[in-house]
């Protein structure tokens, strides 16, 4: 997926408004301790290895704060980065660089953390034929950014929201009067959209298969149950495994032959990458 410039501009403006009290007259009161014309050279490094994500956000933050600051992002989204590597430089007004610093780093540390975690998960699935998916367990307002970061880390997106695919879960099933009714209604309402059904046991799996579900999510199945589910399904539908997936268990679950493994941890348990800005020699 690609990020639109309109989305990036909106998110950056919102983040800067948050930091600058919605462009109040006071603005960045700490930066104002520095002479208004003072220039600076700065670089941002990563203190740990990972996968970089957030180039467009960096450029937009500085453009909104002060377009005269020259920013050079040295790495590209999806690129593997090493400890102490320089990610980008900024040359220009010292006040503007310091005002933009935290907002830019907040975006990059969060998105790079998501991409890095995703890359670790993807590595565990290498050679298995199972695809890693994200979920809707995202930071409010940052879903599209986080899902973009998942892609940068080598994962794939599940549905983006409640509008682009069906995921019929326990409460939907109860409210619709059963799996068969829920799937039938979904196919009537939107015959062009994929229908996925979450099941909790093998009996529900059979019902979902008979109802014509395109994808079936095996929720918190044991490895033994997953093996049975793969045999029962016999490629009549795609199978997804979900529920408490960890780096230690991914490969075991994937070896049963499922098509997808989804994990909310990619976007929910975000460990931000450790970044640092350093001022170098000041200009005139």
């Amino acid at each position: 997926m690609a990020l639109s410039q309109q989305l990036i501009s909106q998110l950056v403006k919102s983040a800067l408004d948050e930091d600058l009290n919605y462009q109040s007259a006071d603005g960045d009161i700490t930066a104002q301790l520095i002479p208004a014309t003072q220039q600076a050279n700065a670089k941002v490094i990563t203190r740990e290895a990972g996968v970089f994500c957030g180039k467009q956000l960096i450029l937009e933050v500085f453009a909104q704060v002060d377009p005269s600051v020259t920013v050079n992002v040295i790495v590209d989204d999806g690129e593997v980065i090493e400890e102490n590597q320089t990610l980008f430089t900024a040359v220009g007004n010292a006040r503007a660089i310091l005002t933009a610093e935290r907002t830019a780093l907040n975006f990059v540390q969060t998105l790079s953390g998501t991409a890095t975690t995703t890359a670790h998960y993807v590595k565990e699935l290498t050679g298995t034929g199972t695809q890693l998916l994200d979920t809707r367990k995202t930071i409010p307002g940052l879903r599209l950014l986080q899902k973009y970061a998942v892609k940068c880390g080598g994962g794939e997106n599940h549905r983006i929201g409640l509008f682009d695919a069906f995921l019929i879960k326990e409460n939907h099933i109860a409210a619709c009067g059963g799996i068969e009714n829920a799937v039938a209604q979904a196919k009537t309402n939107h015959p062009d959209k994929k229908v996925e059904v979450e099941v909790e046991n093998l009996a529900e799996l059979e019902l979902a298969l008979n109802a014509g579900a395109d994808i079936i999510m095996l929720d918190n199945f044991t490895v033994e149950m997953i093996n049975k589910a793969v045999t029962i399904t016999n490629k009549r539908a795609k199978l997804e495994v979900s529920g408490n997936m960890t780096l230690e268990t991914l490969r075991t679950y994937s070896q049963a032959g499922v098509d997808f493994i989804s994990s909310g941890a990619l976007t929910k348990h975000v460990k931000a990458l450790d970044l640092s800005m350093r001022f170098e020699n000041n200009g005139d």
Side-chain angles (χ1 to χ4, degrees):
M1 62 177 294
L3 298 174
S4 72
Q5 185 57 45
Q6 180 182 11
L7 173 69
I8 291 169
S9 297
Q10 289 173 345
L11 291 174
V12 167
K13 182 182 183 304
S14 177
L16 288 171
D17 282 346
E18 198 172 54
D19 222 13
L20 296 168
N21 193 24
Y22 295 88
Q23 309 298 328
S24 69
D26 291 334
D28 184 349
I29 60 174
T30 311
Q32 290 168 22
L33 301 175
I34 302 166
T37 59
Q38 184 165 322
Q39 302 292 293
N41 299 324
K43 68 177 182 180
V44 169
I45 67 166
T46 175
R47 296 185 182 277
E48 56 186 321
V51 176
F52 176 78
C53 183
K55 182 174 183 175
Q56 294 169 271
L57 281 303
I58 295 168
L59 296 173
E60 182 64 22
V61 170
F62 280 90
Q64 289 194 25
V65 171
D66 183 350
S68 73
V69 175
T70 300
V71 181
N72 179 25
V73 184
I74 299 166
V75 292
D76 290 319
D77 289 349
E79 187 173 328
V80 175
I81 53 179
E82 302 299 331
E83 183 180 353
N84 295 319
Q85 182 175 343
T86 298
L87 304 181
F88 70 92
T89 61
V91 179
N93 184 271
R95 286 187 177 184
I97 291 172
L98 288 168
T99 297
E101 172 192 2
R102 178 43 52 198
T103 297
L105 266 58
N106 281 349
F107 279 121
V108 175
Q109 70 187 21
T110 301
L111 299 183
S112 296
T114 298
T116 300
T117 299
T118 301
H120 291 321
Y121 277 60
V122 169
K123 184 178 179 180
E124 288 299 312
L125 294 175
T126 300
T128 65
T130 301
Q131 196 169 65
L132 179 69
L133 303 177
D134 56 21
T135 72
R136 286 171 49 245
K137 296 175 182 177
T138 54
I139 299 170
L142 298 185
R143 176 171 298 170
L144 291 180
L145 295 188
Q146 285 194 284
K147 283 184 172 284
Y148 172 75
V150 166
K151 294 278 286 185
C152 288
E156 293 293 336
N157 301 142
H158 204 280
R159 56 182 181 161
I160 299 300
L162 297 172
F163 59 90
D164 55 332
F166 289 99
L167 178 49
I168 300 170
K169 306 182 81 169
E170 178 184 7
N171 288 330
H172 299 103
I173 293 167
C176 288
I179 289 174
E180 185 178 63
N181 288 344
V183 172
Q185 191 62 55
K187 288 181 177 291
T188 297
N189 288 0
H190 294 281
D192 58 322
K193 297 191 184 298
K194 293 287 186 182
V195 178
E196 180 169 1
V197 178
E198 181 184 81
V199 301
E200 297 181 350
N201 52 58
L202 295 174
E204 289 184 351
L205 170 66
E206 294 274 17
L207 290 173
L209 286 169
N210 292 336
D214 301 298
I215 307 169
I216 299 172
M217 179 188 290
L218 310 176
D219 185 41
N220 289 308
F221 273 41
T222 65
V223 174
E224 181 183 3
M225 290 173 66
I226 293 170
N227 282 319
K228 289 180 179 179
V230 170
T231 300
I232 291 168
T233 301
N234 194 26
K235 300 188 182 301
R236 286 182 287 165
K238 298 286 188 181
L239 291 179
E240 175 184 337
V241 175
S242 183
N244 299 313
M245 294 294 115
T246 67
L247 277 173
E248 293 71 29
T249 61
L250 277 177
R251 198 164 188 88
T252 300
Y253 284 110
S254 67
Q255 286 174 337
V258 296
D259 301 283
F260 309 110
I261 287 179
S262 58
S263 174
L266 304 179
T267 52
K268 183 177 66 168
H269 301 155
V270 180
K271 179 185 178 298
L273 217 61
D274 188 6
L275 309 178
S276 176
M277 175 176 278
R278 296 176 178 177
F279 265 40
E280 299 179 306
N281 60 306
N282 290 339
D284 294 330

